[in-house]
Amino acid sequence: MTGAARPLIAVPARFSAGASALRHAAEVNARALVEAVWRAGGEPATIHPHAPGGRADPADTAARLARFDGLLLPGGGDLAPHRYGARHTHDSVYDVDDEQDAFDLEAARQARALELPLLAVCRGLQVVNTALGGTLHQDMGGPGRDHRHLRHRVRLTPGSALHRVTGTDRTEASCYHHQHIDRLGTGLTITARATDGTVEAVEAPDTPGWFLAVQWHPEDTAPTDPAQHRLFTALVTAARARRAARRTPWAG
């Protein structure tokens, strides 16, 4: 596939204290994630999460996203609990960044308003749930109960978009998280659970636009697992269709 044919997929950067090839603090994305988008036929484009003072301007965020054909909300640190109305912060909450939170939440809102194809991964799922008024369990109970460095079986809801995309009703998910959905956001439907009952995927069947969110990290196993690769292919396919529709002259 030529570069010109690749739909542009925006991937918000993650702030990092440093990177081996850089001398200072960095903005990064997981190589496995951007390579998964590339293998699926997309052009991954890291974007700066601009939200000075912990506030992202809705109009500016919408204008920036409008240039893209799709959005991928990646994993990362925890959302600040006050973002979903919690009055206390659990000791296990880590890597909170007010600017990152503000931008991700606004990007989720604007992507849905723009009907921009959206795939949300791990933290990304939690961002979308929070943006739609949902809440999170701040910790799953510590070692042995969290889903860090874990691969486990997940059951998918038959007939769901996730089921249609992956082509299976069970999949092995590569997980790294200690938080998960508590109260479901408005308009969302649970479409996958782990054997312990943890919500592993959600979608919004009654709203326009293409959207899937998974609590696991499909990029970890996408090179060898066709079901995980299909998540990225579905995002890119939806992004390509949206770009084609926008570029087709109206014939009245």
Side-chain angles (χ1 to χ4, degrees):
M1 177 175 292
T2 65
R6 292 178 178 270
L8 283 171
I9 309 298
V11 189
R14 294 291 173 244
F15 296 128
S16 174
S20 61
L22 304 175
R23 297 178 297 121
H24 305 291
E27 292 188 10
V28 300
N29 264 311
R31 182 171 178 175
L33 191 71
V34 296
E35 287 187 343
V37 174
W38 181 266
R39 280 195 308 272
E43 179 71 63
T46 295
I47 61 173
H48 174 57
H50 181 64
R55 294 187 178 184
D57 180 79
D60 177 68
T61 305
R64 292 179 64 197
L65 291 180
R67 298 183 299 165
F68 294 93
D69 305 307
L71 173 66
L72 197 164
L73 284 175
D78 292 335
L79 280 164
H82 73 81
R83 294 287 182 178
Y84 44 89
R87 299 179 63 182
H88 303 287
T89 299
H90 194 279
D91 290 343
S92 65
V93 172
Y94 72 101
D95 283 356
V96 170
D97 188 285
D98 209 31
E99 186 170 13
Q100 187 81 75
D101 287 355
F103 183 80
D104 279 11
L105 288 164
E106 193 58 45
R109 297 184 189 103
Q110 295 304 324
R112 291 175 59 75
L114 293 166
E115 299 183 17
L116 191 67
L118 169 59
L119 175 63
V121 170
C122 198
R123 168 190 159 98
L125 174 147
Q126 296 169 5
V127 165
V128 172
N129 189 65
T130 300
L132 293 175
T135 62
L136 304 176
H137 287 291
Q138 292 189 42
D139 190 74
M140 297 175 67
R145 298 188 66 181
D146 59 20
H147 287 185
R148 286 189 170 108
H149 301 297
L150 177 69
R151 291 188 183 183
H152 62 172
R153 302 292 286 177
V154 171
R155 181 185 292 273
L156 283 59
T157 301
S160 64
L162 181 63
H163 178 250
R164 294 192 297 272
V165 164
T166 59
T168 184
D169 58 5
R170 288 184 177 87
T171 190
E172 184 175 83
S174 176
C175 294
Y176 190 90
H177 64 96
H178 76 109
Q179 300 187 328
H180 65 129
I181 287 178
D182 179 11
R183 186 179 70 241
L184 197 63
T186 302
L188 295 178
T189 297
I190 297 169
T191 55
R193 288 187 184 270
T195 55
D196 64 3
T198 300
V199 175
E200 290 283 356
V202 297
E203 54 196 66
D206 297 327
T207 58
W210 188 92
F211 163 69
L212 283 178
V214 296
Q215 183 61 76
W216 67 86
H217 284 272
E219 71 273 17
D220 290 354
T221 53
T224 57
D225 184 343
Q228 305 305 321
H229 173 70
R230 290 185 193 113
L231 289 170
F232 298 99
T233 300
L235 169 65
V236 171
T237 299
R240 184 179 294 110
R242 183 179 186 275
R243 182 175 65 172
R246 286 193 300 167
R247 292 183 177 182
T248 299
W250 180 74

